[in-house]
Amino acid sequence: MGERLTDSAFNAEWAAEGFEAPVLRLAADEHGALLVRAEAEVVAKTLAGLRSATMPRQESPEEAEASFNLLRAHLADVPADILKEACRRYVNRPGRRYFPRSAGELREFINPLHVARKMAEYRLRQMADAAAERDRRAAATDQVQWDAALVRTLPRKVAQDCLARGWFGQDLFDEAFPPADGILTASEGHHGQE
């Protein structure tokens, strides 16, 4: 109980609320699967489409083929959908566009998409870990034999949080923290007071 949650761990725990760890792990795995590199044929076809959508440079056919092959080799690590979206963004940037000579010209469009997907996978894994830890703590809490003496050892605010989580009932809370005269219990609320 003495461990301090980091902001990242707290946010992951909060974000995981309402989700089961296996579902979050599946979503993370699916994001990870989308990070697989495109097949060479897909890269070549995508770059051929980019070439037809851009203006040709002043170069010999041999230079054009060499730059195309170099570009294809340097972009072999990019997932197919990210490469296609990066090419679309490259072509749609205002102003004249020539076919890129280096992968760096496309990486400007690839990297934000690639990083966003990696971060989504990482975040889903954090949330899955937080959900698994939450489930582990809940299982451990379910095994606690709550009685008024144990509840009395808790600070009132912590006991109220435990009550709100359903770890024990209102009657046990009231027994551990008897209301003073004129002070309402959580179950009484404002009803019955005139």
Side-chain angles (χ1 to χ4, degrees), residues 7-8 17 22 26 35 42-43 64 71-73 82 96 99 106 108 126-127 141 154-156 175 184 190 193:
D7 287 344
S8 178
E17 194 65 37
L26 179 63
L35 287 167
V42 173
V43 174
L71 194 60
R72 193 172 75 194
I82 290 178
R96 292 181 151 192
F99 186 74
L106 283 175
E108 174 185 347
Q126 274 189 316
M127 290 170 57
T141 304
L154 301 173
R156 185 180 186 94
E175 184 181 338
L184 301 175
H190 293 289
Q193 292 289 326

Side-chain angles (χ1 to χ4, degrees), residues 14-169:
W14 177 81
E17 194 65 37
F19 293 100
E20 298 298 320
V23 173
L24 290 166
R25 287 210 193 290
L26 179 63
D29 291 344
E30 288 180 6
H31 268 72
L34 292 174
L35 287 167
V36 70
R37 62 181 50 205
E39 295 177 11
E41 182 180 306
V42 173
V43 174
K45 187 175 181 180
T46 302
L47 292 176
L50 176 62
R51 177 170 267 170
S52 68
T54 54
M55 297 174 57
R57 293 187 183 271
Q58 298 252 340
E59 55 190 1
S60 70
E62 292 81 21
E63 289 174 322
E65 186 65 27
S67 65
F68 184 86
N69 289 335
L70 187 62
L71 194 60
R72 193 172 75 194
H74 287 177
L75 295 174
D77 65 320
V78 180
D81 65 319
I82 290 178
L83 180 60
K84 289 175 184 175
E85 178 61 19
C87 288
R88 188 190 68 73
R89 290 181 183 191
Y90 181 88
V91 168
N92 287 321
R93 175 156 290 169
R96 292 181 151 192
R97 276 291 171 190
Y98 291 97
F99 186 74
R101 283 203 175 180
S102 72
E105 292 179 65
L106 283 175
R107 292 276 179 194
E108 174 185 347
F109 301 95
I110 291 169
N111 289 346
L113 300 168
H114 205 230
V115 167
R117 183 166 299 158
K118 284 182 176 181
M119 290 301 296
E121 177 194 14
Y122 173 75
R123 186 74 175 135
L124 286 165
R125 291 203 189 285
Q126 274 189 316
M127 290 170 57
D129 291 345
E133 176 63 18
R134 176 199 63 216
D135 294 346
R136 185 196 62 73
R137 282 194 317 262
T141 304
D142 288 345
Q143 296 174 6
V144 172
Q145 300 298 314
W146 292 100
D147 62 16
L150 179 59
V151 173
R152 211 173 289 115
T153 65
L154 301 173
R156 185 180 186 94
K157 175 67 177 134
V158 172
Q160 288 171 327
D161 289 344
C162 293
L163 173 65
R165 291 175 186 251
W167 292 353
F168 50 78

